[in-house]
């Protein structure tokens, strides 16, 4: 593995391919499929829980009014609501 503190997709593909005796192309297709399936569910507003690994979900943050910056500007601006993906490690 190229990074002792983390792993990227290429390292993951190499590791899984070696462990299961698959080609890197087969393994890449499988891993990409898993990631795409998780992303599709989260994009639609659902959540994915893989016990012992993690939970993936989409969070919506409400919009709100706020004083503009710099401080000399006194008009109010509205910050739109936004969404973000949240990952949580599970037991």
């Amino acid at each position: 593995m190229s990074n002792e503190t983390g792993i990227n997709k290429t390292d993951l593909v190499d590791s899984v391919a070696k462990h299961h005796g698959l080609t890197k192309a087969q393994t890449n297709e499988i891993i990409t499929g898993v990631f795409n399936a998780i992303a599709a569910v989260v994009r639609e507003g659902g959540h994915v829980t893989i016990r012992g690994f993690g939970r993936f979900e989409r969070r919506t943050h409400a919009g709100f009014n706020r004083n503009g910056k710099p401080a000399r500007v006194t008009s109010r601006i509205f910050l739109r609501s936004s969404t973000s993906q949240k990952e949580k490690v599970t037991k």
Side-chain angles (χ1 to χ4, degrees), residues 22-83:
L22 299 170
T23 66
K24 289 181 183 178
Q26 291 170 322
T27 307
N28 185 51
E29 188 175 329
I30 293 166
I31 290 174
T32 299
V34 170
F35 290 164
N36 288 342
I38 291 170
V41 171
V42 171
R43 192 177 307 115
E44 295 297 319
H47 69 272
V48 176
T49 301
I50 302 172
R51 192 172 179 141
F53 181 70
R55 177 181 169 100
F56 304 86
E57 61 187 336
R58 188 175 187 171
R59 294 280 174 100
T60 301
H61 306 281
F64 58 95
N65 288 317
R66 180 182 178 131
N67 286 332
K69 297 290 182 190
R72 67 180 177 268
V73 176
T74 58
S75 62
R76 295 183 64 79
I77 60 173
F78 182 73
L79 300 177
R80 294 181 294 181
S81 62
S82 63
T83 59

Side-chain angles (χ1 to χ4, degrees), residues 7 39 79 89:
I7 187 169
L79 300 177
V89 176

